[in-house]
């Protein structure tokens, strides 16, 4: 991936990709037509959630990460 080229250290590249994917995850929730107005606290929560789901994906795979997101969506819609 072009953003990670030249960093040399595998852990630095993984941390960079985790941060980038978490930020993109949070941004994706603000794309119209189903977007919400920007609020810093919600955006930070979504960045942290994106990091959590990225770690789930890395450690357990896509199915577990998608399942975790689906469970959160269900819990959020019920409450």
């Amino acid at each position: 991936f072009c953003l990670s080229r030249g960093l040399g250290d595998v852990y630095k590249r993984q941390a960079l990709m985790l941060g980038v994917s978490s930020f993109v995850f949070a941004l994706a929730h603000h794309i119209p037509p189903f977007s919400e107005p920007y609020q810093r606290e919600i955006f930070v929560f979504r960045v942290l959630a994106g990091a959590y789901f990225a770690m789930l994906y890395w450690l357990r795979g896509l199915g577990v990460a998608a399942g975790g997101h689906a469970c959160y969506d269900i819990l959020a819609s019920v409450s």
Side-chain angles (χ1 to χ4, degrees):
F1 190 68
C2 64
L3 289 177
S4 64
R5 189 174 285 169
L7 288 179
D9 188 14
V10 173
Y11 297 113
K12 286 182 184 177
R13 286 183 285 179
Q14 290 174 340
L16 175 65
M17 291 301 105
L18 183 116
V20 168
S21 67
S22 301
F23 187 77
V24 170
F25 177 82
L27 280 178
H29 289 84
H30 295 282
I31 297 173
F34 303 110
S35 63
E36 296 178 7
Y38 175 79
Q39 293 180 10
R40 184 180 59 216
E41 295 82 11
I42 293 174
F43 189 80
V44 169
F45 172 78
R46 287 185 175 144
V47 168
L48 295 174
Y52 174 73
F53 291 133
M55 292 300 296
L56 271 180
Y57 174 75
W58 185 48
L59 297 171
R60 300 286 301 179
L62 179 61
V64 175
H69 192 294
C71 288
Y72 172 79
D73 288 343
I74 292 168
L75 289 174
S77 66
V78 169
S79 62

